[in-house]
Amino acid sequence: MCSFYYAGSVRVFFPTALAIALSACSRAPDPPAQESPPAKVVMKPTASPPDVEKPAASPLNEDTRRKLVVFGDSLSAGYGLAPGESYPDDLQRKLDAAGYAWHVVNLGISGDTTEGGVARLDAAVALKPSVAIVELGGNDGLRGLPLEVTRKNLEAMIAAFQGAGAKVVLAGMTLPPNYGVPYIHGFEKIYKELAAARHCTLIPFLLADIVTPDLHYLQRDGIHPTAEGAEIVAGTVLRAVKPLLGAPDAKR
């Protein structure tokens, strides 16, 4: 499921009218002799105030922290949650609290597949992240797409991020039992085999810590985490990425 935000701009023009008033006067009769003629008042233009040099506009404060990109689907986008409640938002707060000078960039798009990820890969790589979490493939599995297509697309994403100098964390997924044992096992193997072949960190199942018998940490759809569940997922991710971050900057 996708949500779209349309931003439009309206240009409003305000024309300015300039009115020029012209007046004419007739010659008045000479004043009586006993009256002194009115003093002639000469209006001198006032001097313009000296130009005051305005301070130069200060440049925008650019975020110089190292980037951690979350490249995913609705699980990363925070589907069904209020702004600021997704697990990447929680991850940012946890990093800040621990003294890590890292900027989490959430590139999660609801409904995205691995094909969609490849299509927008260049823009993500252009951010030059130091760490990239690849969290895609779940929608491929739910749609029953060919496993070789999912594998090929995930490998392309991993290779692109690694080629740009990023350390990659691959977030694994699984599928409901009704997809059949052969397909589910083949799907799960994609993540394990790619992590081993491409030497990247693997989270075997991103939602492992919130799948409970009562599904307390999942929304009613049984797929997406609640706000409380998202915070737990952020802890799962933090444990995986922490060895890649170096020491907290507060301790350097």
Side-chain angles (χ1 to χ4, degrees):
M1 298 177 66
C2 303
S3 58
F4 301 91
Y5 173 76
Y6 296 94
S9 61
V10 179
R11 300 182 62 186
V12 182
F13 297 89
F14 296 96
T16 303
L18 176 62
I20 303 176
L22 299 177
S23 62
C25 59
S26 61
R27 179 180 179 82
D30 293 336
Q34 67 272 18
E35 293 184 4
S36 300
K40 187 176 182 181
V41 180
V42 179
M43 301 296 294
K44 295 182 179 181
T46 57
S48 301
D51 292 334
V52 178
E53 185 177 353
K54 296 180 180 180
S58 58
L60 295 176
N61 292 327
E62 296 183 0
D63 197 326
T64 59
R65 295 174 295 176
R66 289 163 290 179
K67 293 184 180 68
L68 188 158
V69 162
V70 181
F71 197 62
D73 51 32
S74 58
L75 295 176
S76 298
Y79 174 81
L81 301 178
E85 291 184 346
S86 69
Y87 81 79
D89 290 309
D90 290 319
L91 178 61
Q92 181 70 75
R93 286 188 283 269
K94 290 179 183 295
L95 291 174
D96 293 343
Y100 289 96
W102 283 77
H103 177 205
V104 177
V105 182
N106 189 352
L107 298 182
I109 294 182
S110 293
D112 207 8
T113 62
T114 58
E115 183 179 3
V118 170
R120 60 189 176 99
L121 184 57
D122 289 346
V125 171
L127 295 175
K128 298 180 180 179
S130 297
V131 172
I133 299 172
V134 176
E135 181 274 301
L136 283 166
N139 288 316
D140 292 42
L142 293 175
R143 297 180 186 185
L145 298 181
L147 297 178
E148 59 270 20
V149 173
T150 301
R151 177 190 297 271
K152 179 182 177 182
N153 290 337
L154 284 173
E155 186 167 20
M157 288 182 265
I158 295 170
F161 280 119
Q162 289 180 333
K167 299 174 182 177
V168 175
V169 176
L170 184 59
M173 291 301 298
T174 189
L175 297 170
N178 58 299
Y179 281 81
V181 173
Y183 187 81
I184 294 173
H185 283 181
F187 181 80
E188 293 174 345
K189 280 177 59 178
I190 292 174
Y191 297 94
K192 297 174 184 177
E193 292 176 354
L194 284 179
R198 299 294 312 187
H199 305 289
C200 53
T201 301
L202 174 67
I203 302 175
F205 179 33
L206 179 65
L207 306 180
D209 292 335
I210 64 170
V211 177
T212 60
D214 61 358
L215 303 180
H216 174 70
Y217 299 111
L218 294 175
Q219 297 178 38
R220 293 183 64 180
D221 60 13
I223 297 175
H224 299 91
T226 62
E228 189 177 3
E231 186 171 2
I232 297 173
V233 174
T236 303
V237 174
L238 180 59
R239 290 195 298 273
V241 302
K242 198 170 182 179
L244 309 179
L245 304 180
D249 292 73
K251 297 180 180 179
R252 289 181 179 179

